[in-house]
Coordinates of all heavy atoms in Angstrom, one line a residue:
A1 N -8.9 -11.1 43.5 CA -10.1 -11.8 43.8 C -10.4 -11.8 45.3 O -9.5 -11.9 46.1 CB -10.0 -13.2 43.2
S2 N -11.7 -11.9 45.6 CA -12.1 -12.0 47.0 C -13.4 -12.8 47.0 O -14.1 -12.9 46.0 CB -12.2 -10.7 47.7 OG -13.3 -9.9 47.1
G3 N -13.7 -13.5 48.2 CA -14.9 -14.2 48.3 C -14.9 -15.6 47.7 O -16.0 -16.2 47.6
L4 N -13.8 -16.1 47.4 CA -13.7 -17.5 46.8 C -12.4 -18.1 47.3 O -11.4 -17.4 47.6 CB -13.8 -17.5 45.3 CG -12.9 -16.6 44.5 CD1 -11.5 -17.1 44.4 CD2 -13.5 -16.4 43.1
A5 N -12.4 -19.4 47.2 CA -11.1 -20.2 47.5 C -10.3 -20.1 46.2 O -10.4 -21.0 45.3 CB -11.4 -21.6 47.9
F6 N -9.5 -19.1 46.1 CA -8.8 -18.8 44.8 C -8.1 -19.9 44.2 O -8.1 -20.1 43.0 CB -7.9 -17.6 45.1 CG -7.2 -17.1 43.8 CD1 -7.9 -16.3 42.9 CD2 -5.9 -17.4 43.6 CE1 -7.3 -15.8 41.8 CE2 -5.3 -16.9 42.4 CZ -6.0 -16.1 41.5
S7 N -7.4 -20.7 45.0 CA -6.6 -21.8 44.4 C -7.4 -22.9 43.8 O -6.8 -23.7 43.0 CB -5.6 -22.4 45.5 OG -6.4 -23.0 46.5
N8 N -8.7 -23.0 44.0 CA -9.6 -24.0 43.4 C -10.2 -23.5 42.1 O -11.0 -24.2 41.5 CB -10.7 -24.4 44.4 CG -10.1 -25.1 45.6 OD1 -9.1 -25.8 45.5 ND2 -10.8 -25.1 46.7
Y9 N -9.9 -22.3 41.7 CA -10.5 -21.7 40.5 C -9.5 -21.6 39.3 O -8.4 -21.1 39.5 CB -11.1 -20.4 40.8 CG -12.4 -20.5 41.5 CD1 -12.5 -20.8 42.9 CD2 -13.6 -20.2 40.9 CE1 -13.7 -20.9 43.5 CE2 -14.8 -20.3 41.5 CZ -14.8 -20.6 42.9 OH -16.0 -20.7 43.5
D10 N -10.0 -21.9 38.1 CA -9.3 -21.5 36.9 C -9.5 -20.0 36.7 O -10.6 -19.5 37.0 CB -9.8 -22.3 35.7 CG -9.7 -23.8 35.9 OD1 -8.8 -24.3 36.5 OD2 -10.7 -24.5 35.4
M11 N -8.5 -19.3 36.2 CA -8.6 -17.9 35.9 C -8.4 -17.6 34.5 O -7.5 -18.2 33.9 CB -7.7 -17.1 36.8 CG -7.9 -17.3 38.3 SD -9.5 -16.7 38.9 CE -9.4 -15.0 38.5
G12 N -9.1 -16.7 33.9 CA -9.0 -16.3 32.5 C -9.0 -14.9 32.3 O -9.5 -14.1 33.1
W13 N -8.5 -14.5 31.1 CA -8.5 -13.1 30.6 C -9.2 -13.1 29.3 O -8.9 -13.9 28.4 CB -7.1 -12.5 30.5 CG -6.5 -12.1 31.8 CD1 -5.6 -12.8 32.5 CD2 -6.7 -10.9 32.5 NE1 -5.2 -12.1 33.6 CE2 -5.9 -10.9 33.7 CE3 -7.5 -9.7 32.3 CZ2 -5.9 -9.9 34.6 CZ3 -7.5 -8.7 33.2 CH2 -6.7 -8.8 34.4
F14 N -10.1 -12.1 29.1 CA -10.9 -11.9 27.9 C -10.8 -10.4 27.6 O -10.5 -9.6 28.4 CB -12.3 -12.3 28.0 CG -12.5 -13.8 28.1 CD1 -12.3 -14.4 29.3 CD2 -13.0 -14.5 27.1 CE1 -12.5 -15.8 29.5 CE2 -13.3 -15.9 27.2 CZ -13.0 -16.5 28.4
R15 N -11.1 -10.0 26.3 CA -11.2 -8.6 26.0 C -12.4 -8.4 25.0 O -12.8 -9.4 24.3 CB -9.9 -8.1 25.4 CG -9.7 -8.5 23.9 CD -8.3 -8.0 23.4 NE -8.0 -8.5 22.1 CZ -6.8 -8.5 21.5 NH1 -5.8 -8.0 22.2 NH2 -6.7 -8.9 20.3
Q16 N -12.9 -7.2 24.9 CA -14.0 -6.9 24.1 C -13.8 -5.5 23.5 O -13.6 -4.5 24.2 CB -15.3 -7.0 24.8 CG -16.5 -6.8 23.9 CD -17.8 -7.2 24.7 OE1 -17.9 -7.2 25.9 NE2 -18.8 -7.6 23.9
A17 N -13.8 -5.4 22.2 CA -13.8 -4.1 21.5 C -15.2 -3.8 21.0 O -16.0 -4.6 20.9 CB -12.9 -4.2 20.3
P18 N -15.5 -2.5 20.8 CA -16.8 -2.0 20.4 C -17.3 -2.8 19.2 O -16.5 -2.9 18.2 CB -16.6 -0.6 20.2 CG -15.5 -0.1 21.1 CD -14.6 -1.3 21.0
G19 N -18.5 -3.3 19.2 CA -19.0 -4.0 18.1 C -18.5 -5.4 17.9 O -18.9 -6.1 16.9
K20 N -17.7 -5.9 18.8 CA -17.1 -7.3 18.6 C -17.5 -8.1 19.8 O -17.9 -7.7 20.9 CB -15.6 -7.2 18.5 CG -15.1 -6.5 17.3 CD -13.6 -6.6 17.2 CE -13.1 -6.0 15.9 NZ -11.6 -6.1 15.8
E21 N -17.4 -9.5 19.6 CA -17.6 -10.4 20.7 C -16.5 -10.4 21.7 O -15.4 -10.0 21.4 CB -17.7 -11.8 20.1 CG -18.9 -12.1 19.2 CD -20.2 -12.2 19.9 OE1 -20.2 -12.6 21.1 OE2 -21.3 -11.8 19.4
R22 N -16.8 -10.7 22.9 CA -15.8 -10.8 24.0 C -15.0 -12.1 23.6 O -15.5 -13.2 23.5 CB -16.4 -11.0 25.3 CG -15.5 -10.9 26.5 CD -16.2 -10.9 27.8 NE -17.0 -9.7 28.0 CZ -17.7 -9.4 29.1 NH1 -17.5 -10.1 30.2 NH2 -18.4 -8.3 29.1
E23 N -13.7 -11.9 23.5 CA -12.8 -13.0 23.0 C -11.8 -13.4 24.0 O -11.3 -12.6 24.8 CB -12.1 -12.5 21.7 CG -11.2 -11.3 21.9 CD -10.5 -10.9 20.6 OE1 -10.7 -11.6 19.5 OE2 -9.9 -9.8 20.6
F24 N -11.5 -14.7 24.0 CA -10.6 -15.3 24.9 C -9.2 -14.9 24.6 O -8.8 -14.8 23.4 CB -10.7 -16.9 24.8 CG -9.6 -17.6 25.5 CD1 -9.7 -17.8 26.9 CD2 -8.5 -18.1 24.8 CE1 -8.7 -18.4 27.6 CE2 -7.5 -18.8 25.5 CZ -7.6 -19.0 26.8
L25 N -8.4 -14.6 25.7 CA -7.0 -14.3 25.5 C -6.1 -15.3 26.1 O -5.1 -15.8 25.5 CB -6.7 -12.9 26.2 CG -7.5 -11.7 25.6 CD1 -7.2 -10.5 26.5 CD2 -7.1 -11.5 24.2
A26 N -6.3 -15.6 27.4 CA -5.4 -16.5 28.1 C -6.1 -17.1 29.4 O -7.0 -16.5 29.9 CB -4.1 -15.8 28.6
A27 N -5.7 -18.2 29.8 CA -6.2 -18.9 31.0 C -5.1 -19.6 31.7 O -4.1 -20.1 31.1 CB -7.4 -19.8 30.7
I28 N -5.3 -19.7 33.1 CA -4.3 -20.5 33.9 C -5.2 -21.4 34.8 O -6.0 -20.9 35.5 CB -3.4 -19.6 34.6 CG1 -2.3 -20.4 35.4 CG2 -4.1 -18.6 35.5 CD1 -1.1 -19.6 35.8
K29 N -4.9 -22.7 34.8 CA -5.6 -23.6 35.7 C -5.1 -23.5 37.1 O -4.2 -22.7 37.4 CB -5.3 -25.0 35.2 CG -5.8 -25.3 33.7 CD -7.4 -25.4 33.7 CE -7.8 -26.7 34.3 NZ -9.3 -26.9 34.2

């Protein structure tokens, strides 16, 4: 990440397969 105060942001991972919705995988506060 760049351009933000990283420690003040929650971060998440998502994935998307063809024809499917982008789905939540994991997050860290």
